[in-house]
Amino acid sequence: MDLSPKPAASGLDPDLLARVARGDRGAFGQLYELSSTLLFSLAFRILGDRDSAADLLQDVYLEVWRKRVSYDAARGSPMAWLVTMTRSRAIDRLRSRTAKGHGVTDPIDNSPAVQLADGNPGPLEASAGSETRSLVGKALAELPEAQRKAIELAFYHGLSHSEIAARLNEPLGTVKTRIKLGMDKLRMVLRSCWGQ
Amino acid sequence: MAHEEFEQNVALYAVGALEPLERQALETHLTEGCQLCQTALKEYRETTGLLPHGLPITALPPNLKGTIETAALAQVLGQTTGADADATLRTPDSDVTIRTPGPPIVVPAGDVTVRLPNQPPGDVTIRLPNQPAGAPDADATVRMPSRPAARTAPPAKAVPTQSPWWAWAATPAFAAASISLVLGVGAYAFFLNSKVTLETAQRQQAEAALQQQTIQTAALRQELTQAQQELTESKQRLSTMASLQDTVAQREMDLERLRTQLAQKEQELVGLYKTASPKDEMLAMLQSASVRVFSLAGTDAAKSAGGLVLYDAERGKAFLYAFNMPALPRGKVYQLWTITTKPVSAGTFSADTGRKCRHLAHSLPAKSGITKFAVSIEPEGGKPQPTGAIYLHGSL
């Protein structure tokens, strides 16, 4: 049994992605181990069911494996890249599902994005990643409710600022400002967590 | 749009909150090379990349990793549906001599077509090393179609960029699936055959690994089934044991009951022995050689009465049997007397049903020379000497 601590999910080594790109199956397995819990939680949050989230994750990892998408270190950390890609694919699916007329659960009343780790932490939690989780949870909790809600509706529900304004019955400019202010604050507070 | 406006929109772009037109405009601005916006976007992306850490952790499906790894392996094995591409490589006008491990082969001038199956869109570069001394390596670039193309699609032309194409050991830079050659040149067939053999071996190896994993999975599944069966059997055994325990408890109770009954019966037997002994004693005495019989006759006080005494002088026992005895008044008993010189009491007794009497006298003086027996009526408890009327008497 490997007792060495796993690095935090936010601290993926860019070299690992380079090895995956060279067709290293071991590296591919390692990438999965280090990132899947976070990506699955994200996909589940957006899509709302485990089967869809699992299906999405399979697509994301195979895209990475096939080099259909390639990681460019100049544009950010590997984890931010994976999160952006997973979020983007999930929102695409959510929109196509909505277009097909499937019901969408109310994003506001359902499972708030700001929720600290429950009493059942996985291996990811047991690692250094829990510190990041704690910091992110705290940063989100300290954000004004209206700013956080606007960010959540955009990030997890794929709503544009005008859609958010319509949903919350707020002026368009107000929503844009809230997102900008909220993002600026998070960017400042979470700076220490980047590129771990 | 002014740069400041774009800068405002970068944060919204990172969380995906821009309208399509705004998004396109910002993307154009970014590709135009605005460093400020690119840096800001990178930082916002790092921030949104951290957002999922604020979500509750959702447990992964246990089989997901296996599914993804199997799909990835299937791609290594070239089982995806990419486009086939034909690359035609032009040899120089003159013949080419090819070095082989065996004798050199002369390739006639002409076109060589390489078929590349399952290629993703993009460029494939084929490096042609081992040129004649002094000549640099040659690269041949083949552009793959962006959509899956039929095998009848027009072949892409590949022209050597630096030197004539006469390499005998072309090594395609891609390490994907097998390569089949369609060419009229035997030597290329020889080389590419080796290449195909190598690729096939690698593929077979990967397939063998997959098969091995499948076998291991099947074995594990079988173990699981077996364990489940054992569990079921154990459960059954456990329930059988429980019912056996009940049975044992029941049996123990039965046994206890039987023991009690046995003790009771033994007691009854002792009692029976005690009550039944006169008769038994009589039978035993009849079988004894030393027994003598005294016949007893009724006196005037009991004319119809009669009886006999079996006397075993050796053991000092006497058994009396009497009949038609007069009814005993309340507070009275019969008393048997042995007479040598004077009467000696041999115990008291009462009448059975039908006015018959049985009485066994123990502990008579042995070899005492008894010559007479008599029965009298006496007060309850008996008397040392006869006081009442004699009912029976008899001698040898």
Side-chain angles (χ1 to χ4, degrees):
Chain A
M1 191 180 166
D2 181 17
L3 293 172
S4 60
K6 287 178 179 176
S10 51
L12 275 183
D13 186 356
D15 182 52
L16 188 66
L17 280 170
R19 278 163 57 207
V20 171
R22 288 199 295 271
D24 181 338
R25 284 178 60 206
F28 185 59
Q30 223 179 326
L31 177 73
Y32 178 89
E33 289 294 334
L34 293 172
S35 57
S36 54
T37 303
L38 189 73
L39 298 185
F40 188 72
S41 301
L42 171 63
F44 180 75
R45 175 69 178 87
I46 295 171
L47 295 170
D49 73 286
R50 290 174 60 78
D51 285 349
S52 304
D55 195 50
L56 180 86
L57 233 62
Q58 183 172 343
D59 281 4
V60 167
Y61 281 107
L62 287 180
E63 280 195 62
V64 174
W65 177 246
R66 283 179 202 160
K67 290 162 277 178
R68 287 268 166 90
V69 284
S70 55
Y71 168 66
D72 177 7
R75 292 170 68 178
S77 68
M79 201 63 213
W81 175 67
L82 284 172
V83 166
T84 303
M85 179 162 65
T86 305
R87 184 254 169 204
S88 156
R89 303 291 187 273
I91 295 294
D92 286 349
R93 287 198 183 192
L94 193 66
R95 286 195 184 128
S96 94
R97 197 193 280 177
T98 313
K100 284 175 189 167
H102 292 285
V104 179
T105 51
D106 187 345
I108 301 171
D109 298 336
N110 238 348
S111 57
V114 181
Q115 191 169 337
L116 295 176
D118 55 21
N120 185 23
L124 186 78
E125 275 305 84
S127 75
S130 60
E131 198 188 336
T132 310
R133 283 182 64 78
S134 153
L135 279 168
V136 172
K138 191 163 171 281
L140 285 166
E142 282 171 358
L143 226 53
E145 173 71 20
Q147 291 178 16
R148 191 178 65 228
K149 192 179 281 181
I151 290 172
E152 279 173 30
L153 286 171
F155 193 69
Y156 293 124
H157 301 282
L159 299 185
S160 70
H161 57 79
S162 56
E163 286 168 329
I164 296 167
R167 182 175 289 229
L168 300 179
N169 203 20
E170 301 272 9
L172 197 63
T174 309
V175 171
K176 285 181 86 166
T177 309
R178 278 178 188 168
I179 293 174
K180 175 79 166 67
L181 287 175
M183 282 304 291
D184 281 345
K185 188 170 182 197
L186 289 175
R187 176 185 174 189
M188 192 173 67
V189 172
L190 298 176
R191 190 174 287 272
S192 63
C193 297
W194 295 348
Q196 279 177 1
Chain B
M1 195 185 284
H3 169 78
E4 288 70 28
E5 285 179 69
F6 284 123
E7 205 177 2
Q8 282 285 320
N9 280 348
V10 175
L12 281 87
Y13 180 75
V15 283
L18 285 184
E19 299 296 332
L21 282 176
E22 294 171 319
R23 194 173 64 233
Q24 282 166 18
L26 181 65
E27 281 170 351
T28 308
H29 177 68
L30 286 165
T31 49
E32 282 168 358
C34 175
Q35 284 298 315
L36 283 174
C37 286
Q38 281 174 1
T39 306
L41 178 61
K42 189 175 166 181
E43 291 188 4
Y44 284 126
R45 281 251 164 90
E46 290 301 329
T47 307
T48 53
L50 289 167
L51 289 181
H53 283 286
L55 292 174
I57 287 178
T58 309
L60 285 159
N63 54 349
L64 183 59
K65 190 180 182 194
T67 310
I68 291 174
E69 286 188 332
T70 307
L73 183 64
Q75 294 195 350
V76 172
L77 296 175
Q79 291 169 358
T80 51
T81 53
D84 287 354
D86 287 351
T88 304
L89 308 170
R90 188 168 293 272
T91 62
D93 293 336
S94 57
D95 293 351
V96 180
T97 302
I98 294 174
R99 289 172 291 167
T100 73
I105 295 167
V106 177
V107 181
D111 285 352
V112 174
T113 302
V114 184
R115 176 149 294 174
L116 310 168
N118 295 330
Q119 291 309 302
D123 289 351
V124 169
T125 302
I126 303 172
R127 175 142 299 193
L128 312 169
N130 297 326
Q131 300 303 308
D137 286 357
D139 282 354
T141 300
V142 181
R143 174 142 298 180
M144 295 304 157
S146 60
R147 289 175 182 282
R151 281 170 186 260
T152 51
K157 291 286 181 184
V159 181
T161 52
Q162 291 180 31
S163 65
W165 193 80
W166 54 55
W168 64 273
T171 307
F174 53 86
S178 63
I179 297 170
S180 64
L181 259 184
V182 184
L183 78 173
V185 185
Y188 285 110
F190 169 78
F191 158 68
L192 283 165
N193 190 37
S194 311
K195 185 80 187 160
V196 165
T197 307
L198 179 67
E199 298 279 356
T200 307
Q202 284 172 350
R203 181 177 170 151
Q204 278 171 350
Q205 211 174 344
E207 276 171 346
L210 182 65
Q211 206 176 3
Q212 185 69 26
Q213 280 182 352
T214 311
I215 290 166
Q216 283 172 358
T217 308
L220 279 173
R221 197 166 290 149
Q222 206 176 353
E223 269 179 34
L224 182 67
T225 311
Q226 209 171 337
Q228 276 171 341
Q229 272 179 353
E230 279 172 11
L231 185 66
T232 312
E233 279 169 16
S234 296
K235 274 183 186 162
Q236 280 173 349
R237 249 180 266 141
L238 213 59
S239 89
T240 312
M241 273 168 70
S243 75
L244 277 174
Q245 272 181 340
D246 287 348
T247 313
V248 167
Q250 186 65 40
R251 290 281 175 273
E252 273 174 357
M253 274 164 62
D254 288 350
L255 200 61
E256 194 54 42
R257 190 165 47 79
L258 286 171
R259 276 200 191 114
T260 312
Q261 283 181 357
L262 186 63
Q264 210 173 333
K265 290 285 178 227
E266 274 174 342
Q267 265 185 344
E268 281 175 19
L269 202 61
V270 169
L272 278 173
Y273 182 78
K274 279 178 184 164
T275 54
S277 58
K279 203 173 191 175
D280 296 342
E281 285 284 316
M282 185 190 81
L283 289 169
M285 286 170 77
L286 280 172
Q287 290 167 349
S288 170
S290 61
V291 165
R292 282 177 295 170
V293 180
F294 287 73
S295 178
L296 303 183
T299 59
D300 289 343
K303 283 180 182 166
S304 60
L308 60 86
V309 170
L310 303 175
Y311 173 53
D312 187 340
E314 292 289 316
R315 296 180 179 83
K317 286 180 182 179
F319 178 76
L320 164 74
Y321 177 73
F323 51 87
N324 290 341
M325 294 293 280
L328 276 173
R330 184 177 292 270
K332 297 286 185 179
V333 291
Y334 299 119
Q335 191 164 6
L336 178 66
W337 303 96
T338 61
I339 299 156
T340 45
T341 52
K342 58 173 188 173
V344 175
S345 175
T348 60
F349 59 96
S350 53
D352 290 351
T353 50
R355 294 160 68 194
K356 293 187 180 75
C357 302
R358 292 183 186 83
H359 175 64
L360 180 68
H362 296 277
S363 316
L364 297 177
K367 301 172 183 176
S368 53
I370 292 168
T371 53
K372 268 180 94 172
F373 285 90
V375 173
S376 66
I377 181 166
E378 300 294 341
E380 211 164 7
K383 289 289 183 182
Q385 288 296 312
T387 58
I390 303 291
Y391 281 177
L392 290 171
H393 63 92
S395 51
L396 280 171

